[in-house]
C-alpha cells in the first residue's frame, strides 16, 4: 500500500503539472504576465523577454493535488500510515513551501504589474522570510521533531545548543534564496530540484518519514511534468513563485526529517550557486571593481564560456546526483 501511494503521488503530480500548463501558459501570456529580463544578465537572454512567468503554479498545483489524492487513498486503506508526527511533518514541510512560495508570488506579481525586474523590497522579503522561518521552527519544536543536535562527519552527534537557532535561520533563509538564484536558465532549477526530490524521497523513506516521502514523490513527479514547459527553449518560467516554493520545500524536508545537515549534500548545487555570488561581490569590493568569475550565479559563467543551457542543465544535474549519493551514504553511516 505504501508503494502504491508513492506511485500514485508521483504519477498524479506528473500528469496534473504537465496538463495544467496547457491552460496556464496561454492564460499567463494572454494577461501579459511576462518575464522582464535583467539588464545585467547575458545579452542573449533578451530574446526571452515576455516569456510567461509564474509557471511554477503548474507544479505547485500538481504536487498539492497529488499529495491530497495519495493521502486520501491511505486514509481509506491504510490509516495507520498517516497517523502521528510523520503526517504533521509532511504538512509542516508543505507549509514551508507554500509560505515561501507566497512571498515569491507577491514578488512576481509586483514585477509584472510594474513591468520591471524589481519586486518586493529586500527588507520586505527578509522580514517575511524571518517570520516564516520562526513559524517553521516553532511548529517542529511543538511536535517534538526539532533537536539542537546535528550529525557532523567524523564528529558524529554534536549538540549546538543555543547556536542551533541562529544557524538555522541562516541555513533556511539562505537555502530558499539559493534555490531562487539557481533559477536563471531554462530548466536548471527544475532539473536540479527533481534530483534533490528523488534524494529526499529515498532518505525520508529510509529514516521512517513515509509521509514526507509522499510529498517528495508528488513534487518530483510534478517537476518532471513541468519540464515539458520549462526545458529549453522554455515556454514558461517558474518565477519566484515556483523557485521560492521549491526552496521552502527543500528546507522543510531536511528539517522535517530532523536532519538539517543533509542540506549541505542535497542542496550542494544551490549552495555553490549562492556562494559564487557572495564571493564575486566580496572580491569586487575588495579589489575595487575586479571580478573573479565572468558572471554569477555560476551557471551564467558557464554560459559566457559558450556552454549551452541544455549542457549546463545536464552537468549541474549530474553534480546534484553525486551530491545526493554522498548525502545518502552519510545518512546511512550516521543513522
Amino acid at each position: 500500500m505504501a508503494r502504491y501511494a508513492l506511485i500514485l503521488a508521483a504519477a498524479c503530480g506528473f500528469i496534473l503539472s504537465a496538463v495544467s500548463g496547457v491552460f496556464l501558459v496561454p492564460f499567463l501570456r494572454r494577461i501579459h504576465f511576462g518575464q522582464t529580463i535583467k539588464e545585467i544578465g547575458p545579452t542573449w537572454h533578451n530574446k526571452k523577454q515576455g516569456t510567461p512567468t509564474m509557471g511554477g503554479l503548474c507544479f505547485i498545483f500538481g504536487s498539492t493535488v497529488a499529495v491530497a489524492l495519495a493521502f486520501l487513498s491511505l486514509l481509506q486503506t491504510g490509516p495507520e500510515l498517516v497517523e502521528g508526527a510523520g503526517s504533521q511533518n509532511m504538512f509542516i514541510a508543505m507549509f514551508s513551501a507554500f509560505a515561501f512560495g507566497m512571498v515569491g508570488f507577491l514578488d512576481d506579481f509586483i514585477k509584472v504589474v510594474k513591468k520591471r525586474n524589481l519586486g518586493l523590497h529586500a527588507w520586505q522579503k527578509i522580514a517575511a522570510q524571518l517570520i516564516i522561518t520562526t513559524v517553521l521552527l516553532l511548529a517542529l519544536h511543538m511536535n517534538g521533531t526539532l533537536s539542537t543536535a546535528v550529525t557532523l562527519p567524523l564528529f558524529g552527534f554534536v549538540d549546538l545548543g543555543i547556536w542551533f537557532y541562529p544557524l538555522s535561520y541562516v541555513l533556511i533563509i539562505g537555502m530558499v534564496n539559493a534555490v531562487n538564484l539557481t533559477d536563471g536558465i531554462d530548466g536548471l532549477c527544475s532539473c536540479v530540484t527533481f534530483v534533490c526530490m528523488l534524494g529526499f524521497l529515498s532518505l525520508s523513506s529510509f529514516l521512517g518519514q513515509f509521509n514526507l516521502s509522499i510529498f517528495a514523490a508528488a513534487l518530483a513527479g510534478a517537476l518532471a511534468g513541468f519540464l515539458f514547459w520549462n526545458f529549453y527553449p522554455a515556454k514558461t518560467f517558474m518565477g519566484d513563485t515556483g523557485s521560492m516554493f521549491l526552496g521552502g520545500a527543500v528546507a522543510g524536508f531536511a528539517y522535517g526529517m530532523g536532519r538539517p545537515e543533509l542540506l549541505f549534500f542535497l542542496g550542494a548545487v544551490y549552495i555553490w550557486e549562492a556562494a559564487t555570488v557572495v564571493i564575486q561581490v566580496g572580491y569586487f569590493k575588495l579589489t575595487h571593481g575586479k571580478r573573479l568569475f565572468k558572471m554569477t550565479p555560476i551557471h551564467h559563467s558557464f554560459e559566457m564560456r559558450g556552454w549551452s543551457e541544455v549542457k549546463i542543465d545536464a552537468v549541474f544535474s549530474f553534480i546534484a546526483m553525486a551530491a545526493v549519493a554522498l548525502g545518502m551514504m552519510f545518512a546511512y553511516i550516521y543513522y
Side-chain angles (χ1 to χ4, degrees), residues 2-167:
R3 185 179 300 176
Y4 168 78
L6 293 179
I7 295 173
L8 176 64
C12 288
F14 175 83
I15 294 170
L16 291 170
S17 181
V19 172
S20 64
V22 175
F23 306 97
L24 180 64
V25 174
F27 173 73
L28 292 172
R29 186 177 293 111
R30 188 164 59 250
I31 62 176
H32 305 294
F33 267 40
Q35 179 72 35
T36 302
I37 303 301
K38 292 181 180 179
E39 294 81 0
I40 60 173
T43 56
W44 54 88
H45 280 203
N46 292 335
K47 63 183 180 181
K48 301 182 181 185
Q49 183 83 16
T51 300
T53 189
M54 296 172 68
L57 292 170
C58 289
F59 59 75
I60 293 174
F61 166 74
S63 61
T64 303
V65 175
V67 168
L69 292 174
F71 205 76
L72 287 173
S73 70
L74 285 175
L75 281 175
Q76 294 178 348
T77 56
E80 70 282 354
L81 294 174
V82 295
E83 297 174 351
S87 294
Q88 295 172 17
N89 287 341
M90 183 190 74
F91 288 118
I92 290 172
M94 293 184 73
F95 158 78
S96 177
F98 274 100
F100 283 111
M102 181 56 67
V103 176
F105 177 84
L106 293 174
D107 198 39
D108 278 335
F109 187 81
I110 293 172
K111 288 176 184 176
V112 169
V113 170
K114 294 188 176 182
K115 299 298 180 184
R116 61 191 179 91
N117 219 320
L118 296 173
L120 293 171
H121 294 293
W123 70 267
Q124 293 174 319
K125 284 185 183 179
I126 293 299
Q129 291 172 350
L130 285 170
I131 293 171
I132 295 168
T133 302
T134 300
V135 176
L136 171 62
L137 293 175
L138 183 61
L140 291 169
H141 172 75
M142 291 178 66
N143 81 339
T145 299
L146 199 64
S147 170
T148 57
V150 297
T151 308
L152 301 176
L154 303 180
F155 295 96
F157 290 100
V158 177
D159 193 342
L160 297 177
I162 193 66
W163 288 103
F164 174 84
Y165 298 99
L167 290 173

Side-chain angles (χ1 to χ4, degrees), residues 102-321:
M102 181 56 67
V103 176
F105 177 84
L106 293 174
D107 198 39
D108 278 335
F109 187 81
I110 293 172
K111 288 176 184 176
V112 169
V113 170
K114 294 188 176 182
K115 299 298 180 184
R116 61 191 179 91
N117 219 320
L118 296 173
L120 293 171
H121 294 293
W123 70 267
Q124 293 174 319
K125 284 185 183 179
I126 293 299
Q129 291 172 350
L130 285 170
I131 293 171
I132 295 168
T133 302
T134 300
V135 176
L136 171 62
L137 293 175
L138 183 61
L140 291 169
H141 172 75
M142 291 178 66
N143 81 339
T145 299
L146 199 64
S147 170
T148 57
V150 297
T151 308
L152 301 176
L154 303 180
F155 295 96
F157 290 100
V158 177
D159 193 342
L160 297 177
I162 193 66
W163 288 103
F164 174 84
Y165 298 99
L167 290 173
S168 289
Y169 276 90
V170 172
L171 183 57
I172 293 171
I173 294 175
M175 183 57 62
V176 171
N177 289 294
V179 175
N180 180 244
L181 287 172
T182 306
D183 181 36
I185 60 175
D186 298 4
L188 180 59
C189 191
S190 301
C191 288
V192 170
T193 309
F194 170 75
V195 174
C196 182
M197 286 303 116
L198 292 181
F200 277 122
L201 170 58
S202 176
L203 285 170
S204 56
S205 298
F206 171 73
L207 295 173
Q209 295 276 0
F210 172 70
N211 292 285
L212 275 173
S213 66
I214 292 178
F215 184 27
L219 193 47
L223 284 168
F226 180 62
L227 280 169
F228 278 113
W229 304 98
N230 187 234
F231 198 68
Y232 182 85
K235 299 175 182 65
T236 185
F237 301 136
M238 67 173 65
D240 287 356
T241 304
S243 61
M244 294 188 74
F245 176 91
L246 295 179
V250 169
F253 273 117
Y255 274 81
M257 292 190 300
R259 300 294 298 271
E261 67 275 4
L262 291 176
L263 285 174
F264 292 100
F265 294 98
L266 277 69
V269 171
Y270 310 129
I271 294 172
W272 180 32
E273 293 268 29
T276 59
V277 174
V278 174
I279 293 170
Q280 181 87 316
V281 172
Y283 187 79
F284 185 86
K285 291 181 177 180
L286 287 173
T287 59
H288 305 289
K290 293 183 179 180
R291 300 176 187 274
L292 189 61
F293 305 103
K294 287 182 177 294
M295 187 177 289
T296 57
I298 194 64
H299 58 259
H300 287 320
S301 184
F302 287 104
E303 275 193 287
M304 299 290 284
R305 294 178 184 276
W307 286 32
S308 70
E309 295 186 45
V310 173
K311 181 177 180 180
I312 295 171
D313 289 349
V315 172
F316 277 49
S317 295
F318 279 118
I319 294 172
M321 290 178 194

